[in-house]
């Protein structure tokens, strides 16, 4: 049967109109509802999206979580290093100098926990920094946790005992620098005043002390501390990085001060050294041009060569690679430790004149003059974008992926390492290639990997290997290490992105993570690392690292506070979340210390 044109549509419309009238709903009601919806959406995107009203009570919950963890440490572990939160025993894995207490001093001060702070200070008053004969202090961990904790607490309180102890500790650790290059060795014997360790050192361990020693030199007036701080910068300026695209590789010869391998990473064994390039520049009032140049070269190489888009969900991620004669070979691993990187990019976008580097005396493309022709072309492509927007887009996309590795899991907690299913039979998509195509097609929609995405919803437990592989393919990755180690990197980036953009979505994501920690990691005396986060049967482990109190809970607390307690234009966090104040060298100090 044939109907006259438009008759069927008209009948449907007439029936709908009649039905609405019977319910007392007029066209005016519909128009009002539509207008109200538009108004609410406008309010959300212009106000509520950036409002923080519901989050103040959450900051108090985070403080309660800190108190729960710290009181458990006090009861069962102090003055030893860390609490074992299942057996209610202690462990001395960092010298036996009460590392949890010292590492947490600034967190307690920021949270206003005066009584806990006073009790923790007994560890500082009683500190002798001595160890039994034939034992050694791990230089890197002691600097970022103990020395950093003392310096930050001093910066917040001006208590002279903290400066005195920091000076003593910095001096005790000084034998580590007695190498031909000035890069520190792994460990120090505090009895014999000698250092020891292999001649090949990881990047993070040989170059994550500049902030601590520079600030120590500033507050003590001691040139020897400043000289130690600048040793890494001098070595990196002289290093031949042409084959590495201007980025520092993972392992270095401590004697020669030159790179030993071609493994490029922002994850384990490398992360904090990259972090300190920018942060040393910011902490010393943006006068250290060498570190700024190195930061721009490092981030440019990562943007061009180490960032990819996953083939199915289009997740933006950063990976590590080795350089071979045939080119760059990525692993497509994403480490939890690498999730500090979006926060670093956001901090750089917030603080640096990326679109007007001439005002600090830099020509962006000229930074690649000593690199290979292919790498020089990469700089030209980057320069064709708005560099500030590009860095911030990268930060937002990467931080979202880091968050989704939590939200994708049944526990809501992020695994330590995942492997993205890119390459081989699947597409291998460099982010900058995708960005070029996006721009060529008219820049429609959000940039690749940046638009908001939903957590993956699986089909239940796969029944066989084929179903498991299909599930991995839809999710775009498989879990390589299913531990959640109470790490801070993801919430650190969420915190910085919230402070930089004001977008409340970063708070919502932090709230999701905090709820999962409360549900899965809490024990009667503290919080525990979790194994098998990708299952419905996770297992608590008898470990509560000091950085959970020093970093993870501090960043969550600051994320949910309405007032900006540690403004990013006045303070710079070291890699253990210890805030140091931004300062300027006086003309006399510049002349005496040889710093800019």
């Amino acid at each position: 049967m044939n109907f006259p044109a438009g008759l069927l549509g008209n009948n449907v419309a007439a029936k709908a109109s009649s039905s609405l009238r019977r319910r007392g709903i007029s066209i005016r009601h519909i128009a009002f509802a539509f207008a109200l919806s538009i108004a609410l959406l406008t309010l959300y995107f212009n106000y509520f999206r950036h409002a923080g009203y519901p989050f103040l009570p959450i900051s108090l919950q985070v403080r309660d979580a800190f108190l729960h963890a710290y009181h458990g440490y006090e009861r069962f572990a102090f003055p030893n290093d860390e609490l074992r939160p299942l057996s209610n025993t202690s462990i001395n894995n960092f010298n036996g100098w009460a590392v949890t207490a010292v590492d947490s001093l600034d967190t307690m001060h920021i949270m206003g926990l005066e009584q806990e702070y006073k009790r923790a200070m007994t560890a500082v008053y009683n500190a002798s920094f001595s160890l039994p004969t034939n034992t050694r202090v791990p230089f890197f961990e002691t600097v970022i946790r103990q020395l950093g904790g003392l310096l930050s607490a001093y910066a917040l309180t001006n208590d002279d005992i903290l400066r005195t102890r920091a000076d003593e500790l910095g001096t005790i650790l000084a034998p580590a620098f007695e190498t031909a290059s000035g890069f520190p060795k792994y460990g120090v014997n505090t009895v014999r005043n000698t250092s020891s360790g292999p001649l090949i050192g990881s990047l993070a361990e040989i170059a994550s002390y500049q902030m601590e020693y520079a600030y120590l030199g500033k507050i003590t007036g001691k040139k020897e501390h400043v000289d130690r701080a600048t040793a890494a910068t001098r070595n990196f300026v002289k290093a031949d990085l042409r084959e590495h695209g201007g980025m520092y590789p993972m392992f270095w010869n401590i004697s020669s001060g030159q790179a030993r391998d071609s493994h490029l990473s922002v994850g384990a064994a490398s992360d904090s050294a990259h972090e300190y390039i920018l942060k040393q520049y910011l902490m010393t009032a943006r006068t250290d041009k060498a570190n700024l140049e190195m930061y721009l070269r490092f981030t440019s190489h990562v943007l061009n060569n180490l960032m990819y888009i996953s083939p199915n969900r289009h997740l933006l991620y950063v990976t590590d690679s080795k350089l071979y004669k045939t080119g760059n070979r990525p692993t497509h691993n994403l480490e939890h430790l690498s999730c500090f990187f979006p926060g670093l990019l956001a901090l750089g976008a917030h603080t640096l004149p990326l679109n007007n580097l001439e005002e600090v005396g830099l020509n962006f493309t000229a930074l690649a003059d000593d690199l290979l022709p292919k790498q020089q072309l990469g700089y030209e492509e980057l320069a064709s974008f708005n560099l500030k927007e590009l860095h911030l887009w990268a930060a937002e996309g990467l931080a979202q992926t880091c968050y989704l590795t939590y939200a994708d899991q049944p526990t809501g907690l992020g695994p330590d390492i995942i492997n993205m299913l890119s390459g081989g039979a699947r597409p291998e998509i460099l982010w900058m290639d995708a960005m070029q195509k996006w721009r060529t097609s008219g820049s429609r929609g959000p940039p690749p990997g940046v638009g908001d995405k939903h957590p993956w919803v699986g089909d239940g437990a796969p029944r066989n290997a084929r179903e498991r592989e299909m599930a991995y393919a839809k999710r775009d990755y498989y879990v390589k290490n299913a531990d959640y180690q109470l790490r801070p990197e993801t919430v650190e980036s969420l915190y910085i992105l919230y402070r930089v953009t004001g977008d409340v979505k970063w708070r919502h994501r932090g709230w999701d993570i905090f709820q999962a920690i409360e549900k899965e990691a809490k024990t009667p005396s503290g919080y525990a690392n979790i194994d098998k986060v990708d299952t419905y049967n996770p297992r608590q482990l008898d470990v509560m690292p000091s950085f959970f109190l020093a970093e993870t809970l501090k960043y969550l607390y600051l994320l949910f506070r309405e007032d900006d307690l540690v403004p990013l234009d006045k303070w710079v966090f070291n890699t253990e979340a210890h805030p140091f104040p931004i300062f300027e060298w006086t003309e006399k100090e510049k002349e005496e210390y040889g710093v800019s």
Side-chain angles (χ1 to χ4, degrees), residues 202-213:
S202 73
L203 179 62
E205 292 190 338
I206 66 168
S208 302
Y209 60 84
Q210 303 94 304
M211 291 179 66
E212 291 82 1
Y213 272 89

Side-chain angles (χ1 to χ4, degrees), residues 18-301:
S18 176
S19 175
L20 290 172
R21 283 198 300 270
R22 286 198 301 272
R23 290 172 171 79
I25 302 173
S26 68
I27 296 298
R28 287 183 179 179
H29 291 117
I30 296 171
F32 176 77
F34 178 75
L36 180 62
S37 299
I38 295 297
L40 289 174
L41 286 171
T42 302
L43 280 171
Y44 169 73
F45 283 103
N46 288 282
Y47 174 71
F48 292 121
R49 188 182 184 193
H50 301 281
Y53 169 74
F55 292 98
L56 180 59
I58 299 174
S59 70
L60 300 179
Q61 293 182 45
V62 176
R63 187 175 68 174
D64 288 343
F66 178 91
L67 286 169
H68 175 72
Y70 191 75
H71 288 165
Y73 165 74
E74 280 189 310
R75 181 179 179 187
F76 297 110
F78 184 84
N80 296 310
D81 280 337
E82 292 180 343
L83 169 70
R84 291 187 180 274
L86 300 183
S87 60
N88 291 335
T89 57
S90 64
I91 182 172
N92 282 326
N93 48 350
F94 294 105
N95 315 325
W97 298 342
V99 70
T100 295
V102 177
D103 215 4
S104 303
L105 283 172
D106 52 12
T107 308
M108 293 180 232
H109 183 81
I110 289 169
M111 291 183 175
L113 303 176
E114 296 179 5
Q115 296 306 311
E116 286 74 15
Y117 181 87
K118 289 178 181 178
R119 294 196 297 270
M121 281 295 293
T122 61
V124 176
Y125 292 124
N126 297 331
S128 63
F129 303 122
S130 62
L131 284 176
T133 305
N134 298 324
T135 58
R136 62 182 180 177
V137 172
F139 176 83
F140 166 70
E141 295 289 355
T142 304
V143 165
I144 65 171
R145 299 188 193 215
Q146 303 254 186
L147 183 57
L150 293 168
L151 290 169
S152 179
Y154 170 75
L156 292 166
T157 65
N158 289 315
D159 187 341
D160 284 341
I161 186 63
L162 292 161
R163 178 175 55 187
T164 299
R165 290 289 183 264
D167 187 21
E168 292 170 355
L169 181 55
T171 302
I172 286 171
L173 295 174
F177 294 99
E178 295 173 1
T179 62
S181 67
F183 276 143
K185 283 191 175 180
Y186 172 80
V188 176
N189 185 311
T190 60
V191 175
R192 298 177 179 175
N193 294 322
T194 58
S195 61
S196 60
L199 288 178
I200 304 300
S202 73
L203 179 62
E205 292 190 338
I206 66 168
S208 302
Y209 60 84
Q210 303 94 304
M211 291 179 66
E212 291 82 1
Y213 272 89
Y215 182 54
L216 181 59
K218 178 67 175 177
I219 63 175
T220 61
K222 293 187 176 180
K223 182 178 183 297
E224 59 266 31
H225 293 319
V226 181
D227 288 343
R228 293 160 191 147
T230 56
T233 302
R234 291 195 301 270
N235 284 330
F236 288 142
V237 168
K238 293 186 294 184
D240 181 5
L241 300 176
R242 177 179 168 85
E243 296 294 327
H244 307 98
M247 181 176 172
Y248 310 151
M250 186 177 290
F251 291 102
W252 291 69
N253 185 303
I254 294 176
S255 180
S256 69
Q258 290 294 326
R260 179 60 186 266
D261 76 339
S262 58
H263 191 171
L264 303 177
S265 172
V266 299
S270 297
D271 46 2
S272 51
H274 299 307
E275 180 184 357
Y276 274 30
I277 309 169
L278 173 63
K279 292 186 172 182
Q280 177 77 355
Y281 173 74
L282 296 177
M283 187 184 74
T284 54
R286 310 182 197 188
T287 57
D288 184 356
K289 189 175 176 181
N291 271 309
L292 175 59
E293 291 179 355
M294 289 187 284
Y295 173 75
L296 293 169
R297 283 159 65 97
F298 150 62
T299 52
S300 297
H301 188 82

